[in-house]
Amino acid sequence: MTITKKALAVTIGAAVALASFASQAEITVLKQDPQAGDPLSRLNFTVGGSIRPQFQNMTGDDGKNSYKRNGFDGGSRFRFAADYYLFDDISWISYYELGVNIPAQFNWDNHHADGAHDTSRRMLYTGLKSDTWGTLTFGQQNSVYYDVVGAKTDIWDYDMIGQAPGNGINGDYDGSYRSRQMLKYKKTLGDADIYASYLFEDSEYLPGNGLRYKRKGGGSLGVDYRLTTDLTWGAAWNYTRADMRNPDNGDSKSWDQNILGTALSWTPDNWTFSAGGGWYQNFMTSKKVSVNDYFAGDAWGIEYFAGYKFPIGQYAVKSIQPYFMGDRIETMNGRNYQRIDNGVGISFQLDYGFRVDYEHVFTSSTDDLGDMNLVRLRYDF
């Protein structure tokens, strides 16, 4: 079915108008209040989500991404969380986050990538939580590296370009982002949160070039330290052992992939400052269809952000935040690649969970990528 830009705008507007009647923030469906003889009273169940129509206009030729000029889904998701009290301070927790590509769901031509899935599983995990013993979870969930390092600079829209999550073969499989088949432990000790994880063997991932990537195992360590009430420092290391195989000729090679990074987040008063960087070994792809040369040997990247939030509190505007942001990523061997982004943005936080972001990013890269103009509409509930 073909839909015009005007029809898409009308549809989005209608969806946003309907959504405005819902209350902002997580919705508590069942509230935990343990009562003797009532098992359901031990359950706390919440739902929430975010609808994110987005427009991106890159100068020059953006190839197969031209649908982004027409308007596309910038990462809409729905989440469901359960916390069931067992005994003492121990609870059984579960979490599910479903990504929904709304234009693909309704088959709107020229508003999604060819072959895009209409839904995707972003996260699904379960485990035990205790103030005394810590939290142990298993399933698909944020990696230790993302929790401790990546999340500190994942705070604007055209981001995650200089950090490891999102720059490898696939962040769900290589352990860098929303890791599959992961056992993760978190424990708070004073002002520090200590993290550790184990990556189990996963199914094969097909990158679409005839090769096959299979994670054999791995693990992570991380620490997030609150230096002051508004200054946090984090550092993490992730190791992944993986096989790259070519079923056509039988070639295969085992790879040891390492990412090591650190980041700071500082939020004094209405300011937000964050910066992070990392070293990536055998992690970024070389763009060569060869099992022996598939990954670039060494690479590094940085990201940075500075913004000030002006409280408004009138005319349906809660706050306005102008900001400056940027990143850089470069391969040292195995591939000749460098990319530098610097840009400015402004974010309008409105009543009832609505938000509008605008960003302009100047890019200099080996592959001559154009500059970016971006508008994102967002409704959080």
Side-chain angles (χ1 to χ4, degrees):
M1 174 178 69
T2 301
I3 185 168
T4 64
K5 294 181 184 179
K6 181 177 180 181
L8 176 64
V10 170
T11 304
I12 291 173
V16 169
L18 289 173
S20 66
F21 291 101
S23 60
Q24 185 183 356
E26 300 295 297
I27 301 169
T28 301
V29 179
L30 292 173
K31 187 174 182 179
Q32 192 178 81
D33 183 22
Q35 303 290 330
D38 185 1
L40 196 59
S41 67
R42 295 169 173 262
L43 176 64
N44 197 79
F45 184 70
T46 60
V47 298
S50 183
I51 298 172
R52 306 185 182 192
Q54 187 165 313
F55 301 84
Q56 288 185 191
N57 189 346
M58 178 181 286
T59 59
D61 182 14
D62 54 2
K64 295 180 180 180
N65 293 326
S66 59
Y67 67 91
K68 294 184 177 182
R69 300 173 186 261
N70 304 329
F72 68 104
D73 195 296
S76 297
R77 76 284 308 264
F78 300 91
R79 53 186 178 267
F80 309 86
D83 184 317
Y84 191 84
Y85 174 73
L86 297 175
F87 53 86
D88 296 333
D89 72 338
I90 298 178
S91 295
W92 174 28
I93 59 173
S94 297
Y95 182 84
Y96 176 49
E97 187 169 291
L98 176 69
V100 179
N101 188 330
I102 295 175
Q105 184 78 45
F106 291 98
N107 198 25
W108 293 342
D109 293 340
N110 303 315
H111 293 282
H112 60 82
D114 291 339
H117 295 290
D118 50 4
T119 61
S120 61
R121 187 184 70 191
R122 293 174 58 88
M123 284 190 273
L124 177 62
Y125 63 86
T126 189
L128 298 173
K129 180 182 72 173
S130 167
D131 292 336
T132 304
W133 303 105
T135 301
L136 182 68
T137 51
F138 175 76
Q140 182 175 0
Q141 53 194 310
N142 283 337
S143 69
V144 169
Y145 191 97
Y146 179 80
D147 278 345
V148 173
V149 177
K152 289 181 174 56
T153 55
D154 184 15
I155 52 177
W156 69 98
D157 190 69
Y158 199 53
D159 61 357
M160 295 185 70
I161 294 169
Q163 60 173 273
N167 274 307
I169 186 169
N170 187 302
D172 294 351
Y173 288 81
D174 62 23
S176 65
Y177 193 9
R178 292 190 293 268
S179 305
R180 294 156 47 101
Q181 301 283 82
M182 182 174 71
L183 183 68
K184 183 168 73 171
Y185 177 73
K186 175 186 176 183
K187 179 72 170 72
T188 299
L189 298 173
D191 293 326
D193 293 331
I194 308 299
Y195 292 79
S197 73
Y198 181 80
L199 295 168
F200 289 87
E201 183 174 337
D202 201 357
S203 59
E204 286 187 326
Y205 169 70
L206 280 62
N209 53 16
L211 303 184
R212 295 172 181 264
Y213 173 91
K214 184 177 178 64
R215 188 182 75 207
K216 306 299 290 186
S220 301
L221 293 173
V223 59
D224 211 19
Y225 191 80
R226 291 170 289 279
L227 300 171
T228 66
T229 56
D230 52 26
L231 178 61
T232 304
W233 166 76
W237 162 72
N238 184 88
Y239 166 74
T240 298
R241 177 75 167 180
D243 289 344
M244 181 61 68
R245 184 170 65 90
N246 187 337
D248 291 337
N249 58 21
D251 286 350
S252 65
K253 180 178 178 178
S254 295
W255 290 88
D256 294 311
Q257 300 180 284
N258 289 279
I259 56 176
L260 179 66
T262 187
L264 283 166
S265 176
W266 187 33
T267 55
D269 299 322
N270 293 327
W271 287 98
T272 298
F273 300 97
S274 64
W279 168 70
Y280 322 131
Q281 181 194 44
N282 298 330
F283 179 76
M284 290 184 62
T285 60
S286 66
K287 301 300 182 180
K288 299 174 183 177
V289 185
S290 167
V291 297
N292 294 309
D293 303 297
Y294 197 81
F295 295 101
D298 294 282
W300 63 274
I302 56 174
E303 291 188 332
Y304 39 89
F305 176 95
Y308 186 86
K309 184 175 291 185
F310 294 92
I312 305 300
Q314 56 184 335
Y315 305 114
V317 180
K318 286 188 173 182
S319 64
I320 298 175
Q321 183 187 46
Y323 52 90
F324 164 78
M325 71 290 194
D327 54 68
R328 175 170 179 158
I329 194 161
E330 183 175 347
T331 55
M332 306 300 293
N333 47 62
R335 180 187 175 192
N336 179 28
Y337 187 75
Q338 180 187 91
R339 176 172 173 174
I340 302 171
D341 297 291
N342 284 292
V344 292
I346 188 167
S347 179
F348 299 87
Q349 184 64 59
L350 310 177
D351 286 340
Y352 307 109
F354 293 101
R355 177 173 145 185
V356 180
D357 300 333
Y358 169 75
E359 295 174 1
H360 183 84
V361 181
F362 301 93
T363 298
S364 173
S365 68
T366 306
D367 50 357
D368 295 322
L369 290 174
D371 298 341
M372 177 64 72
N373 274 299
L374 180 153
V375 176
R376 179 174 67 178
L377 313 176
R378 178 168 167 173
Y379 172 72
D380 295 301
F381 60 94

